[in-house]
Amino acid sequence: MSSRIPTSTSVTESAVINAPLSAVWHLIKLQDFHHFWTKLEKSHHVKGTSHETDVVKWTFKDGTVLEVKQEEHSTIDHYITYSVITATPALSYSSVISTIRCFAVTSGQDEGSTFVQWSGNFSSDADAGVIEDARFKRKEALADLAAAVAKK
């Protein structure tokens, strides 16, 4: 019998951001995440990768460094999908693929706002601590995104 606690290996967090889709979508570029995510010290394109591959290095203020690869991008449907390809220190799980989707809120009390959804699908070796950490980080980053657009 395994001593591991069974857990879902996916997480989805969302927020309604009081700004139009165009203002929010403008910040959803992997190389620009440091403009809103306060835990990031810097983010920039990695040189020397294929011209067909977008790889961005995220350096966090706690010293963690991730290289993320953009897997999908749609300016029509307003989403990006990325995967972590390297991490220092090493991750405790094999892989994760994340998607950020933005939708214009077109009616109701939040009309003119943007609904943002940030999901992550982890490999089966991710434990409950990894999933909870991902949930917390997404909530924090979505709050940072809302604050960044409010300043503009």
Side-chain angles (χ1 to χ4, degrees):
M1 184 93 184
S2 173
S3 63
R4 244 182 87 183
I5 298 170
T7 185
S8 170
T9 56
S10 65
V11 61
T12 300
E13 291 300 325
S14 61
V16 174
I17 296 179
N18 190 19
L21 176 63
S22 59
V24 175
W25 180 243
H26 179 71
L27 292 173
I28 308 297
K29 295 173 183 60
L30 296 176
Q31 71 275 9
D32 292 337
F33 274 36
H34 69 282
H35 292 303
F36 74 86
W37 198 356
T38 60
K39 296 295 182 191
L40 276 179
E41 184 176 312
K42 58 185 174 182
S43 53
H44 59 85
H45 279 286
V46 174
K47 304 219 185 293
T49 58
S50 163
H51 69 281
E52 296 175 5
T53 305
D54 285 332
V55 176
V56 172
K57 182 180 284 189
W58 287 347
T59 304
F60 289 84
K61 292 177 181 174
D62 70 358
T64 302
V65 177
L66 300 179
E67 285 189 359
V68 295
K69 177 184 172 200
Q70 184 169 285
E71 304 287 355
E72 292 182 287
H73 176 263
S74 175
T75 56
I76 294 171
D77 293 324
H78 300 101
Y79 73 87
I80 62 166
T81 299
Y82 64 92
S83 60
V84 175
I85 58 173
T86 66
T88 305
L91 300 174
S92 64
Y93 50 91
S94 304
S95 64
V96 59
I97 190 159
S98 299
T99 299
I100 301 173
R101 295 181 182 275
C102 299
F103 302 89
V105 177
T106 60
S107 63
Q109 68 182 14
D110 293 319
E111 182 176 349
S113 296
T114 305
F115 176 77
V116 181
Q117 181 183 57
W118 194 340
S119 63
N121 290 296
F122 294 81
S123 53
S124 62
D125 56 346
D127 64 20
V130 167
I131 303 305
E132 283 308 303
D133 185 57
R135 182 177 315 286
F136 175 77
K137 287 177 179 167
R138 281 166 174 73
K139 283 183 176 186
E140 187 176 62
L142 288 169
D144 288 347
L145 179 60
V149 251
K151 291 179 186 175
K152 293 189 176 207

